[in-house]
């Protein structure tokens, strides 16, 4: 959420932000509501002052003056009731409109309409050149007996899957490696609930806007999270922290659920865009400082890159353009891994910086030890690894001509020291 004072002071800045981010928000109408609400509150305050003045003066008045003052007092009470009703009607509408105002992007974020206009910053790693005809991850997974999409769809519908045997072990190995790496970096591991209240989804900026992508438990008024960012960022919502506690650095491994409404074409093939997956997520909550936010934005990006480099997966980093930013993000770096079967770099991580957007919604603050004033925190988050999407480049880039898969070195300790996944002839489907 944005401070309304900023919108009053520079409405054109927020009109531009809405245009650049492709959000339809009527800033002029919002300011009209703000003006009406401020006037009503000021008038209510004036009425209260006038009521108090009249009430105190009545005992000192003559009988005729008392009757006149009492009549005035009655009218003031009627006016007060009317104003209270106006505020009661207007305030919820104003508050709802405020939730839709996007935060302006940083100055160095490229202007663009969608992800096709994201700007590449750099590439890391060498793209493998095969001396045989490579298979895609589905072909490899079926041959190894480690992926079963057909039965996943039978059990749960389209874009579902089952990882079994070595597929499940490789999936867990990737996640465990990422968790261990982050814990070694000093991030506090968290096991978090995956069903969130609406206020938590609103607080972290997912509502309004992502309702169509969210699995909703209507009976219980709860929502399955699409990322552990939600419970991690909201963990201390409504609290006033001490400055000494900051920064808070959390990491969580969780299942994630996304409806992926509108996904089509090659994105729905195999393990790329699916309804349920597991993700290791990192979150930082820091002091209200652009310099601090920038520092931790670089840090969480570096954490994810270190994991990719350890796995020796080629990738590129992109500065995400305005049209591909969320409502609250001021800047986002995407990491895109090279996926041979897709013939391109494809998004596997998103490192987002929010400044105080989420904290203001969640009323998450800290007390400045010098001024004794409370300030809203800054929040950031990034994927460390998400699987099984990351299995696409691992299986495809580490495949061998005989159909086996070389296990990346960092994952071998989690796979009982094994170096390869080997096809087993006549492997049963059970």
């Amino acid at each position: 959420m944005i401070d309304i004072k900023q919108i009053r002071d520079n409405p054109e800045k927020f009109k531009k932000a809405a245009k650049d981010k492709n959000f339809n928000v009527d800033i002029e109408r919002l300011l009209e509501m703000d003006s009406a609400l401020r006037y009503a509150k000021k008038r209510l305050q004036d009425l209260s002052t006038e009521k108090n003045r009249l009430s105190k003066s009545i005992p000192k008045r003559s009988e005729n003056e008392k009757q006149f003052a009492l009549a005035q007092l009655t009218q003031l009470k009627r006016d007060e009731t009317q104003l209270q009703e106006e505020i009661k009607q207007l305030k919820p509408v104003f508050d709802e409109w405020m939730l839709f105002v996007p935060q302006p992007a940083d100055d160095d974020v490229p202007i663009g309409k969608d992800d096709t206009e994201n700007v590449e910053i750099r590439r890391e790693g060498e793209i493998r050149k095969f001396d045989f005809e490579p298979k895609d991850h589905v072909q490899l997974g079926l041959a190894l007996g480690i992926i079963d999409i057909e039965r996943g769809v039978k059990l749960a519908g389209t874009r579902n899957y089952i990882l079994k045997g070595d597929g499940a072990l490789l999936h867990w190995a990737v996640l465990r490696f990422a968790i261990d790496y982050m814990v070694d970096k000093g991030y506090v591991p968290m096991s978090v609930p995956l069903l969130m209240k609406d206020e938590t989804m609103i607080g972290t900026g997912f509502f309004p806007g992502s309702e169509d992508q969210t699995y909703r438990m209507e009976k219980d008024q709860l929502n399955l999270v699409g990322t552990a960012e939600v419970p991690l960022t909201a963990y201390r919502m409504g609290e006033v922290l001490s400055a000494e506690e900051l920064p808070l650095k959390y990491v969580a491994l969780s299942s994630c659920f996304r409806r992926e409404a509108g996904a089509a074409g090659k994105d729905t093939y195999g393990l790329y865009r699916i309804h349920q997956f597991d993700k290791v997520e990192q979150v930082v909550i820091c002091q209200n400082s652009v310099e601090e936010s920038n520092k931790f934005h670089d840090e969480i990006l570096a954490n994810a890159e270190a994991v990719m480099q350890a796995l020796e997966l080629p990738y590129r980093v992109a500065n995400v353009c305005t049209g591909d930013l969320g409502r609250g993000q001021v800047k986002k770096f995407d990491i895109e891994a090279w996926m041979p079967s897709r013939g391109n770099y494809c998004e596997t991580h998103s490192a987002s910086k929010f400044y105080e957007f989420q904290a203001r919604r969640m009323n998450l603050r800290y007390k400045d030890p010098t001024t004794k004033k409370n300030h809203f925190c800054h929040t950031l988050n990034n994927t460390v690894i998400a699987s099984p999407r990351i299995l696409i480049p691992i299986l495809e880039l580490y495949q061998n001509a005989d159909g086996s898969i070389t296990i990346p070195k960092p994952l071998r300790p989690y796979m009982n020291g094994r170096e390869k996944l080997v096809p087993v002839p006549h492997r049963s489907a059970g």
Side-chain angles (χ1 to χ4, degrees):
M1 184 179 291
I2 308 299
D3 185 347
I4 185 60
K5 294 178 183 177
Q6 294 183 24
I7 303 175
R8 292 175 196 150
D9 292 343
N10 194 349
E12 295 305 317
K13 180 178 180 180
F14 291 90
K15 291 177 185 178
K16 183 177 186 302
K19 179 181 178 182
D20 290 345
K21 286 188 168 186
N22 299 324
F23 288 108
N24 185 20
V25 182
D26 190 339
I27 299 298
E28 288 297 333
R29 177 64 184 127
L30 177 69
L31 289 173
E32 288 173 7
M33 284 192 284
D34 172 54
S35 179
L37 196 57
R38 292 166 70 196
Y39 175 80
K41 288 180 177 179
K42 177 65 168 60
R43 181 66 184 137
L44 193 62
Q45 186 178 10
D46 291 344
L47 286 176
S48 178
T49 302
E50 181 64 13
K51 275 174 53 188
N52 289 337
R53 187 191 66 79
L54 270 175
S55 296
K56 290 178 180 178
S57 71
I58 287 175
K60 303 174 184 178
R61 294 172 180 259
S62 66
E63 194 59 36
N64 286 340
E65 288 175 334
K66 282 182 181 179
Q67 294 305 314
F68 179 73
L70 287 171
Q72 282 185 302
L73 199 58
T74 299
Q75 183 58 49
L76 287 173
K77 288 180 178 178
R78 290 196 194 102
D79 293 344
E80 186 178 54
T81 299
Q82 183 178 345
L83 279 170
Q84 287 172 339
E85 184 59 29
E86 286 180 18
I87 293 170
K88 182 181 177 181
Q89 295 296 322
L90 186 56
K91 183 69 163 60
V93 179
F94 173 77
D95 289 343
E96 183 179 0
W97 276 54
M98 283 294 293
L99 293 175
F100 286 91
V101 180
Q103 180 163 222
D106 278 352
D107 292 339
D108 60 348
V109 170
I111 304 296
K113 64 180 185 299
D114 55 34
D115 61 357
T116 63
E117 298 188 21
N118 293 343
V119 175
E120 182 179 307
I121 298 173
R122 65 177 181 278
R123 297 187 181 191
E124 302 288 346
E126 293 293 324
I127 294 176
R128 180 181 176 185
K129 296 179 180 179
F130 295 92
D131 56 7
F132 60 91
E133 186 65 30
K135 298 176 181 178
D136 67 38
H137 67 283
V138 175
Q139 294 170 318
L140 291 163
L142 291 175
L144 288 165
I146 62 174
I147 299 175
D148 193 334
I149 293 175
E150 182 180 352
R151 289 183 177 85
V153 171
K154 181 176 72 173
L155 297 180
T158 57
R159 274 178 275 164
N160 282 286
Y161 61 94
I162 290 172
L163 299 176
K164 61 178 184 175
D166 287 340
L169 293 176
L170 188 64
H171 167 74
W172 293 326
V174 169
L175 299 169
R176 289 164 62 196
F177 169 65
I179 277 284
D180 287 348
Y181 176 85
M182 293 303 296
V183 171
D184 286 344
K185 295 288 289 185
Y187 283 65
V188 178
M190 307 275 279
S191 178
V192 293
L194 304 182
L195 284 166
M196 293 284 107
K197 297 178 180 178
D198 286 353
E199 64 181 292
T200 314
M201 301 295 285
I202 292 169
T204 49
F206 285 88
F207 289 175
S210 295
E211 291 87 345
D212 287 347
Q213 300 295 347
T214 304
Y215 284 104
R216 173 79 169 160
M217 307 293 109
E218 291 291 351
K219 185 175 181 179
D220 301 296
Q221 298 292 289
L222 294 171
N223 309 277
L224 278 170
V225 297
T227 167
E229 170 198 338
V230 179
L232 287 179
T233 307
Y235 177 54
R236 302 289 296 273
M237 69 184 295
E239 298 184 27
V240 179
L241 313 177
S242 66
E244 291 75 18
E245 291 182 81
L246 301 176
L248 298 174
K249 297 182 179 183
Y250 300 133
V251 62
L253 164 58
S254 77
S255 293
C256 305
F257 305 88
R258 299 183 186 178
R259 292 187 63 241
E260 295 292 1
K266 68 177 182 179
D267 277 4
T268 63
Y269 175 75
L271 301 177
Y272 188 76
R273 198 170 293 281
I274 48 187
H275 292 310
Q276 178 181 338
F277 57 96
D278 291 322
K279 180 157 67 86
V280 177
E281 182 76 5
Q282 53 182 320
V283 162
V284 174
I285 299 168
C286 67
Q287 292 190 13
N288 193 313
S289 159
V290 172
E291 292 75 17
E292 285 280 287
S293 276
N294 290 342
K295 179 181 74 174
F296 288 117
H297 202 195
D298 289 341
E299 178 177 306
I300 60 177
L301 176 64
N303 289 338
E305 287 195 70
V307 171
M308 292 292 282
Q309 290 167 10
L311 294 172
E312 298 185 67
L313 297 176
Y315 66 90
R316 70 179 178 184
V317 179
N319 190 359
V320 173
C321 74
T322 54
D324 197 27
L325 286 179
R327 201 182 309 273
Q329 295 163 337
V330 294
K331 190 173 185 178
K332 180 167 70 171
F333 295 122
D334 274 0
I335 294 177
E336 302 173 348
W338 177 259
M339 300 185 184
S341 62
R342 296 170 65 87
N344 206 347
Y345 290 96
C346 301
E347 185 254 313
T348 52
H349 304 67
S350 291
S352 301
K353 180 175 64 172
F354 290 86
Y355 293 153
E356 64 180 46
F357 182 88
Q358 293 178 316
R360 182 175 286 275
R361 286 174 172 236
M362 297 184 298
N363 198 25
L364 174 60
R365 297 164 294 164
Y366 69 95
K367 185 176 291 293
D368 187 303
T370 303
T371 65
K372 306 302 180 184
K373 292 183 178 179
N374 293 335
H375 302 283
F376 289 106
C377 300
H378 279 191
T379 63
L380 309 94
N381 65 72
N382 187 18
T383 317
V384 184
I385 210 76
S387 185
R389 183 178 289 191
I390 201 65
L391 297 187
I392 297 175
I394 289 177
L395 293 175
E396 293 180 356
L397 289 168
Y398 278 91
Q399 66 178 295
N400 302 305
D402 63 359
S404 66
I405 306 291
T406 300
I407 299 171
K409 290 179 181 178
L411 305 185
R412 292 175 189 174
Y414 304 94
M415 300 284 291
N416 294 319
R418 295 165 59 195
E419 296 183 5
K420 286 186 179 182
L421 306 182
V422 181
V424 178
H426 312 297
R427 183 188 294 269
S428 67

